Amino acid sequence: MASRMMALALRHQPAASKTSLIVRAAHSGSVNPHLAEKLEKLGNRDVVGFGWNGEPTYYDRPDFPMPAIRFKENTPDVLALRAKEKEDWKKLSIQEKKALYRASFCQTFAEMKYPTGEWKMHLGNTLIVFALAIYISLWMAAYIYDPDPISFDEEHQKAQLKRMLTLEVNPIHGLSANWDYENKRWKK
Amino acid sequence: MSIAKPQLRRLLSSQIKRNLFFATVLVTGLTSGFYFLRNKPRKQDYAEFYRTYDADKAFQRMLDGGYMQCVEKRDE
């Protein structure tokens, strides 16, 4: 009961700080192996923010650039660089700046946004499905469908066309516009 | 690597102004294009056709073809 209230109170904290995780684990240690696992995975890393859902996770997201934890664990050299970072930045060499970046982040924006060429796979699969569809429809036409009704043969089609011309179907822009009624033939 | 300083303030406002401008231009252009290239010539074609259209002759032609189910000949 007390541990549950503690958990509820912790839920309202703005950041999933490491201390809050430890407290949670301490109160519900044996019943919740997931928290212990999480702490184990977290290791020595700093929790630097809320992240996108409060969990201490790391992921490179172009739409959410600030994950909740640093990428690499804190080692003595990184800590030394951090101390140097607190002074004038002009004193940092470019290598040191890059090392500081790579300690906190896995990839740069350029690297995470780099095109993967995945669209070619999707296009290929789509075209394969189209090809299969065409195969199947040809097979259906050859073996499955009933034969065409009689109105599809040459004589019937001619009679239908004659009727459409006599009744002046689409006489301005369409069919009968191309028929010369005086000379009974198609206009050139 | 030195690029031009990007616009940092009032981005939405400038975006909206730009979008309004292009929207107006596009809409005016497209509608007048449609009007002058499609609607106007079509109306002229229809007017031309019916100016010289002999309806009685056409009707007689249809009767002769035997395609009328309700009427046999033109009654005066």
Side-chain angles (χ1 to χ4, degrees):
Chain A
M1 165 71 175
S3 68
R4 191 157 298 212
M5 282 181 67
M6 183 68 83
L8 270 173
L10 284 172
R11 223 175 279 278
H12 291 295
Q13 274 185 3
S17 62
K18 193 161 178 189
T19 47
S20 74
L21 282 176
I22 293 172
V23 170
R24 260 201 272 170
H27 276 264
S28 54
S30 57
V31 213
N32 199 341
H34 300 291
L35 269 173
E37 198 187 315
K38 222 184 271 185
L39 272 175
E40 210 180 285
K41 279 192 185 171
L42 196 56
N44 203 8
R45 294 178 176 80
D46 296 332
V47 178
V48 284
F50 186 77
W52 44 85
N53 61 357
E55 297 294 311
T57 48
Y58 182 88
Y59 196 76
D60 284 321
R61 285 177 63 165
D63 63 322
F64 201 101
M66 320 287 255
I69 55 176
R70 296 201 194 268
F71 180 57
K72 293 204 179 132
E73 300 198 20
N74 290 334
T75 62
D77 7 325
V78 169
L79 287 171
L81 277 175
R82 292 265 159 74
K84 204 172 173 195
E85 198 184 15
K86 291 191 180 142
E87 306 158 17
D88 191 0
W89 285 346
K90 291 195 177 68
K91 297 211 187 97
L92 288 169
S93 73
I94 195 79
Q95 263 68 36
E96 286 170 337
K97 287 176 189 164
K98 286 187 182 179
L100 277 166
Y101 182 88
R102 292 290 175 177
S104 299
F105 299 101
C106 177
Q107 285 183 312
T108 65
F109 264 76
E111 287 167 7
M112 72 168 94
K113 283 184 168 185
Y114 197 76
T116 57
E118 199 187 323
W119 66 273
K120 295 177 208 166
M121 178 184 81
H122 294 301
L123 184 66
N125 286 337
T126 311
L127 291 173
I128 288 172
V129 172
F130 282 179
L132 278 174
I134 293 174
Y135 263 126
I136 291 173
S137 47
L138 288 173
W139 173 77
M140 293 278 284
Y143 295 107
I144 306 291
Y145 293 146
D146 292 336
D148 287 341
I150 23 163
S151 47
F152 274 56
D153 67 24
E154 181 84 18
E155 208 182 291
H156 283 85
Q157 293 277 320
K158 276 192 178 155
Q160 285 172 48
L161 179 60
K162 183 159 181 282
R163 179 175 169 278
M164 285 163 84
L165 289 173
T166 319
L167 290 176
E168 295 199 22
V169 167
N170 288 336
I172 302 165
H173 287 130
L175 182 66
S176 313
N178 301 324
W179 179 254
D180 186 354
Y181 283 93
E182 310 307 321
N183 302 320
K184 299 258 172 74
R185 52 153 196 243
W186 293 107
K187 288 183 189 165
K188 291 292 172 276
Chain B
M1 43 151 237
S2 47
I3 50 171
K5 182 172 176 176
Q7 185 192 358
L8 297 174
R9 304 262 170 147
R10 306 197 169 282
L11 280 165
L12 182 62
S13 163
S14 55
Q15 229 178 24
I16 287 176
K17 281 187 214 157
R18 200 184 67 224
N19 288 341
L20 273 175
F21 172 72
F22 280 125
T24 326
V25 165
L26 210 64
V27 161
T28 320
L30 283 175
T31 43
S32 38
F34 257 90
Y35 178 74
F36 288 110
L37 294 174
R38 186 184 193 273
N39 298 358
K40 217 152 177 288
R42 269 187 102 84
K43 281 199 175 169
Q44 281 162 359
D45 288 344
Y46 272 69
E48 278 302 319
F49 179 78
Y50 282 111
R51 208 193 312 267
T52 54
Y53 185 59
D54 188 354
D56 291 327
K57 196 161 104 177
F59 187 59
Q60 193 55 49
R61 208 160 43 210
M62 292 177 203
L63 282 175
D64 295 338
Y67 293 111
M68 295 285 165
Q69 292 171 341
C70 310
V71 56
E72 297 267 323
K73 63 181 175 71
R74 193 165 179 69
D75 31 67
E76 294 301 324

